[in-house]
Amino acid sequence: MKRLGVATVTIVVGVDGSESGLAAVRLAAREARWRDRPLKLVHAFVWPTLRVPPGQAGGGLREQAEALLKQAAAVALEAEPAVQIWTELITGAPAPVILGQAHEAELVVLGDRGLGGFSGLLVGSVAVQVSAHSSTPVLVAKGRMDFEGPIVVGVDGSSTSERAVGLAFEEASVRGAELLAVHCWTRPVSTGPGDMLPLVYDTDEVAAEEERLLAEALSGHSDRFPDVTVRRESVRDRPGRTLVGFSEQAQLVVVGSRGRGGFTGLLLGSVSQQVLHHAHCPVLMVPGK
């Protein structure tokens, strides 16, 4: 297929021949149509990096890899016949290859489990690695993909959350879906170094303040997307558990890769990890800056 120019902004999807990978291809094709972007199917061809001698496994495996791309292209065309599709076979391990492609992409789409790895893992290592390191939003195809229900976004007031809210509004607009903005709290939290937290506090006052935080996080975006119906939920509970619960009726959950809590050395925050592993629908992981 025709090769893309370097300036073309694409939707990139990883192809590995697994059922999860083909589900990601279908989801990526729909994202490409919704966003009016071409779709780039990428397969990481790892055998040359393992120094397989010429004439042994390499040639036949390359043909198999090319066949996987052709199969994925056919699946994408069946899902969305009008979308432009390109394929590329790239030498290297899957996670580094996809991360390299992410720099010129608007969105990366992956299946939650590939052909390799350990069956006991909830989400495959490639999806976890790319979600943790990508500077581009990563959409992980998992669970139900029937495009029914709201777009759910986690809101915590952080800069990464602000970007997640913006992308959630975009997704709700292009899908014609309701947006459910969820903010969770358990008690007053520190907002900066040296903050002194009260030993006793008024729960109603805290709840009202958290409601204001949620409303402020949405206000500017609502002006940009007047077509999106927004429902707000301020919940006194742990965010990971709450978002996983809401995912049971959602078509997509959008979360920032890192929130305002936790340890700064972690590449993925505890909430985003919990949602990525346990959500019942696709998860859109939004990086920071």
Side-chain angles (χ1 to χ4, degrees), residues 23-202:
V25 168
R26 295 184 188 95
L27 182 58
R30 288 177 172 85
E31 286 285 344
R33 175 172 65 82
W34 286 327
R35 295 165 179 260
D36 193 25
R37 298 294 188 195
L39 177 64
K40 187 174 185 180
L41 309 175
V42 175
H43 177 71
F45 188 56
V46 71
W47 279 100
T49 67
L50 302 180
R51 304 185 185 279
V52 177
Q56 293 187 13
L61 289 171
R62 176 171 288 276
E63 292 177 359
Q64 292 179 34
E66 292 171 347
L68 289 178
L69 283 171
K70 290 180 181 179
Q71 177 197 27
V75 168
L77 281 173
E78 182 180 7
E80 296 294 340
V83 170
Q84 287 185 297
I85 297 173
W86 283 264
T87 63
E88 188 161 0
L89 184 62
I90 302 175
T91 298
V97 165
I98 297 299
L99 286 169
Q101 294 294 304
H103 294 300
E104 296 174 0
E106 182 174 309
L107 179 71
V108 171
V109 186
L110 297 171
D112 65 334
R113 292 299 314 278
L115 290 172
F118 301 94
S119 59
L121 296 177
L122 295 171
V123 174
S125 61
V126 173
V128 172
Q129 290 179 59
V130 174
S131 297
H133 294 279
S134 177
S135 57
T136 298
V138 177
L139 177 57
V140 179
K142 61 176 300 175
R144 299 179 354 271
M145 283 178 278
D146 54 10
F147 307 107
E148 297 290 335
I151 307 297
V152 174
V153 60
V155 182
D156 68 4
S158 67
S159 58
T160 304
S161 170
E162 183 178 358
R163 189 178 182 197
V165 169
L167 285 179
F169 267 94
E170 290 180 15
E171 286 287 341
S173 180
V174 299
R175 295 178 183 220
E178 178 189 45
L179 178 64
L180 174 57
V182 180
H183 173 62
C184 297
W185 60 279
T186 54
R187 57 188 179 277
V189 297
S190 173
T191 58
D195 280 359
M196 296 295 292
L197 300 181
L199 297 177
V200 179
Y201 56 90
D202 187 307

